[in-house]
Amino acid sequence: MPDFAEPLARLITEFKHLPGIGQKSAQRLAFHVLRAGREDAQRLAQALLDVKDKLGLCQVCNNISDSQICQYCRDEQRDQKMICVVEEPHNIIGIETTRQYQGLYHVLHGALSPLRAIGPEQLKIKSLVERIGAGRVEEVILATNPNVEGEATAVYLSKLLKPLGVKVTRIAMGIPVGSDLEFADEVTMWKSLEGRREL
Amino acid sequence: MPDFAEPLARLITEFKHLPGIGQKSAQRLAFHVLRAGREDAQRLAQALLDVKDKLGLCQVCNNISDSQICQYCRDEQRDQKMICVVEEPHNIIGIETTRQYQGLYHVLHGALSPLRAIGPEQLKIKSLVERIGAGRVEEVILATNPNVEGEATAVYLSKLLKPLGVKVTRIAMGIPVGSDLEFADEVTMWKSLEGRREL
């Protein structure tokens, strides 16, 4: 590895801490910053700090927000009878881009994982139960990830919430649209068969 | 596009200004920063500013440096009789990783490009001529890019420097090592034939 000047080497190291950025990408980004104006670097630096300083969690759904109540919880046009439960705030983005879902959200901030010592107490489950206890909610959609932790969390929540008298549903698993059956793994294929719908 | 909280949207926008970072990558990086500790964001922000504030150009070769004379120009172990001319500071990294070249460098900070109004005056050519005029240099290797601008710059420098009594060479173009003849374009193939060496 060639010797970079210290500030440059440090910036490369910091970029490498970001996900999906390896040595070569980090070098390219650092040299870009070097070429760009000081005000560009200043704006990125300020944006980094503002994200840490100005954002908090919504007091209702635990989504990221720059106010005490997030935009979705504030919006009275949205269907107050549905709550979609997700693991992380960025999962909301994927659902919002469909422009189809008009209900509310609840962010767990993780999934159950005995291996990583994450139990129900580490997740935002208590506030979810309280929201349902308030009585307006009719359906809870469990949109945790389709992996072991996400499935376990969905099963746990389902057992916890059903006795409260709400409908509990799970997002469908199957072949991705635009994909080819050939590339589907056996579990996905099975889920796709199992979840078949009459035409 | 879903509505992000303002500081988050701003960080995503700033990340998108970096090369090779699109909307999805920018979102992923921004959400990573959001999850990471404040001190991590602080370190990256500081590194960004330090690169702009603490680095300048080497007074001899115009490489990026945190001192007036860069590490390569300072190093008396290096071959003072050779100068390798490159377009950008990051080109030096590629050459240094070979661990084979032991001479000095000269960074032009660009290549001749009439379309972008970059003429000889916009490049660090005057100081190169002065270095050669000092009399210690015996060979100048032109390692500008193998594209139109880089070639034009190499031809221009060759005509300018040869009358000064130095040997002027150009890096070899040809089939990349580990590649396959099948994938070579016709110009590369021709350069490879033209540059053939006796075994």
Side-chain angles (χ1 to χ4, degrees):
Chain A
M1 190 48 51
D3 294 334
F4 294 101
E6 190 277 332
L8 190 58
R10 185 148 46 84
L11 182 57
I12 291 170
T13 306
E14 291 303 328
F15 272 133
K16 272 165 66 181
H17 289 159
L18 298 175
I21 309 282
Q23 176 68 29
K24 282 234 167 179
S25 301
Q27 283 176 206
R28 196 161 62 121
L29 295 175
F31 276 105
H32 170 87
V33 171
L34 206 52
R35 270 195 305 273
R38 191 187 187 283
E39 60 279 19
D40 293 324
Q42 170 76 52
R43 272 204 310 276
L44 176 52
Q46 192 59 51
L48 282 161
L49 297 178
D50 284 353
V51 152
K52 303 310 292 185
D53 294 338
K54 296 188 179 168
L55 290 181
L57 297 186
C58 169
Q59 291 183 345
V60 177
C61 74
N62 305 303
N63 183 23
I64 286 150
S65 177
D66 52 358
S67 51
Q68 294 198 318
I69 310 291
C70 83
Q71 52 182 323
Y72 305 117
C73 292
R74 262 201 315 264
D75 185 354
E76 294 185 358
Q77 300 298 309
R78 295 188 78 104
D79 186 350
Q80 310 286 319
K81 298 192 290 295
M82 292 181 104
I83 292 182
C84 179
V85 178
V86 295
E87 293 182 19
E88 299 290 346
H90 62 87
N91 297 140
I92 293 180
I93 310 306
I95 295 169
E96 280 296 301
T97 46
T98 68
R99 297 172 181 274
Q100 300 296 320
Y101 180 71
Q102 288 297 326
L104 303 175
Y105 290 100
H106 192 89
V107 184
L108 297 173
H109 287 274
L112 294 177
S113 174
L115 281 175
R116 291 186 290 150
I118 300 175
E121 302 75 31
Q122 278 72 49
L123 303 179
K124 308 283 189 189
I125 290 178
K126 202 175 150 225
S127 55
L128 174 62
V129 173
E130 285 166 5
R131 286 178 78 183
I132 293 164
R136 286 175 82 183
V137 180
E138 295 177 2
E139 179 175 355
V140 176
I141 304 172
L142 301 174
T144 51
N145 281 318
N147 55 24
V148 177
E149 284 92 356
E151 279 296 321
T153 310
V155 170
Y156 176 87
L157 287 178
S158 160
K159 285 186 183 160
L160 186 73
L161 303 179
K162 270 186 190 167
L164 302 177
V166 286
K167 185 173 162 188
V168 181
T169 57
R170 178 86 172 106
I171 51 166
M173 271 146 258
I175 315 290
V177 176
S179 175
D180 194 304
L181 287 190
E182 200 182 344
F183 306 127
D185 62 285
E186 63 264 35
V187 183
T188 302
M189 194 69 230
W190 166 238
K191 289 278 183 188
S192 174
L193 286 167
E194 195 184 42
R196 68 191 178 280
R197 295 167 65 175
E198 203 170 8
L199 293 177
Chain B
M1 189 50 48
D3 292 334
F4 294 101
E6 189 278 332
L8 190 59
R10 187 150 43 85
L11 182 58
I12 291 170
T13 306
E14 291 302 327
F15 272 133
K16 272 165 68 183
H17 289 158
L18 297 175
I21 308 282
Q23 177 69 30
K24 281 234 167 177
S25 301
Q27 282 176 206
R28 197 161 61 121
L29 294 176
F31 276 105
H32 170 88
V33 171
L34 207 52
R35 270 194 306 271
R38 191 187 186 284
E39 60 279 19
D40 293 324
Q42 170 76 54
R43 272 204 310 277
L44 176 52
Q46 193 59 52
L48 282 162
L49 297 178
D50 284 353
V51 151
K52 303 309 293 183
D53 294 338
K54 295 189 180 169
L55 289 181
L57 298 186
C58 169
Q59 293 184 343
V60 177
C61 74
N62 306 303
N63 183 22
I64 285 148
S65 176
D66 52 358
S67 50
Q68 294 197 318
I69 310 290
C70 83
Q71 52 181 324
Y72 303 117
C73 292
R74 263 201 315 266
D75 186 352
E76 294 186 359
Q77 301 295 309
R78 295 187 80 105
D79 187 350
Q80 309 287 319
K81 297 193 291 295
M82 292 180 103
I83 292 181
C84 179
V85 177
V86 295
E87 292 181 21
E88 298 290 346
H90 62 85
N91 296 140
I92 293 179
I93 310 307
I95 295 170
E96 281 296 299
T97 46
T98 66
R99 297 172 182 275
Q100 300 295 320
Y101 179 70
Q102 288 297 325
L104 303 175
Y105 291 100
H106 192 88
V107 184
L108 297 175
H109 287 275
L112 294 177
S113 173
L115 281 175
R116 290 186 291 149
I118 299 176
E121 301 73 33
Q122 277 72 49
L123 304 178
K124 308 283 187 188
I125 290 178
K126 203 177 149 221
S127 55
L128 175 62
V129 173
E130 286 167 3
R131 287 177 77 183
I132 293 163
R136 285 175 83 182
V137 181
E138 294 177 4
E139 181 175 353
V140 176
I141 303 172
L142 301 174
T144 52
N145 281 318
N147 54 24
V148 177
E149 283 93 357
E151 279 296 320
T153 311
V155 171
Y156 175 86
L157 286 178
S158 161
K159 285 186 183 162
L160 186 74
L161 303 178
K162 269 187 189 167
L164 302 177
V166 286
K167 186 172 162 188
V168 180
T169 57
R170 179 86 173 107
I171 51 166
M173 271 145 257
I175 315 291
V177 177
S179 175
D180 195 303
L181 287 191
E182 201 181 344
F183 305 128
D185 62 284
E186 62 264 35
V187 183
T188 302
M189 195 67 228
W190 166 237
K191 288 278 182 189
S192 174
L193 285 167
E194 195 185 40
R196 68 192 179 278
R197 293 167 64 176
E198 203 172 7
L199 291 178

